[in-house]
Amino acid sequence: MAIYNGRLPKLNEDEIKRYSGLKHAEGFPEQYVKEAALEVQLVAEPRGVYQCYDYDPETHTILSNPPMVLDATGIIRHLGNAKKVYVLAVTVGEAVEERSSALFKEGKSTLGLLVDAAATTAVEQVADQVNELIDREAKKQGFKTTWLKRHVVLKPCFFASRSMSSLT
């Protein structure tokens, strides 16, 4: 299993606004969004893991240990006759969730909400970084990647998975 230590030089402020429900808000102070991005950058520990597995398209099975039989028609259709799949998971660390919770406890609920949205943005950015590594690795092996996003955010630490990159 490959391990990735990510980087977060800048968070996408438009995505922070989107995740916080402010995409179309007018007159909202931009400084709050910038502050939330900085809060996340200061405490985040961006990391990820990924693994390539053989895939049996006839039985819809990822040949991991233990094997994972897929039953969702959308993912089965997406994978088609893929020979391999990549599964990945990323995190920005528990300290981000702790910071968001602390802000809520301090009565800074707006900033707490924005830090939560910034954390989700950060997770996506780290997943994109891992995707780039997978693309390069797959290309070296002569495969073409296609992506199907599946996002999960679990508490208490931020976690997202983007899985089932099929290789054909």
Side-chain angles (χ1 to χ4, degrees), residues 25-157:
E26 293 182 25
F28 186 82
E30 292 291 319
Q31 184 55 35
Y32 286 126
V33 176
K34 291 179 186 314
E35 187 176 348
L38 182 59
E39 290 276 355
V40 169
Q41 287 175 290
L42 288 173
V43 299
E45 296 176 19
R47 292 179 299 235
V49 295
Y50 63 96
Q51 180 70 42
C52 182
Y53 295 101
D54 290 327
Y55 177 70
D56 182 344
E58 291 181 22
T59 62
H60 316 299
T61 304
I62 297 173
L63 301 174
S64 54
N65 184 15
M68 182 174 160
V69 178
L70 305 176
D71 60 6
T73 56
I75 186 74
I76 291 168
R77 185 173 36 253
H78 175 80
L79 291 174
N81 289 319
K83 301 193 182 346
K84 298 196 178 279
V85 296
Y86 276 90
V87 178
L88 72 89
V90 301
T91 182
V92 294
E94 196 169 347
V96 176
E97 175 66 20
E98 291 168 354
R99 183 62 187 137
S100 177
S101 295
L103 289 164
F104 277 103
K105 288 176 186 170
E106 294 168 16
K108 299 177 181 177
S109 55
T110 300
L111 187 55
L113 172 76
L114 288 168
V115 165
D116 192 69
T120 301
T121 300
V123 163
E124 284 297 316
Q125 286 181 210
V126 176
D128 288 342
Q129 293 166 18
V130 175
N131 283 347
E132 289 173 21
L133 293 173
I134 291 170
D135 277 339
R136 282 186 254 156
E137 187 176 297
K139 187 176 181 180
K140 284 180 188 176
Q141 296 176 26
F143 290 104
K144 176 186 155 214
T145 58
T146 59
W147 297 101
L148 179 64
K149 292 183 181 181
R150 291 284 184 236
H151 308 284
V152 181
V153 178
L154 303 173
K155 305 293 176 162
C157 63

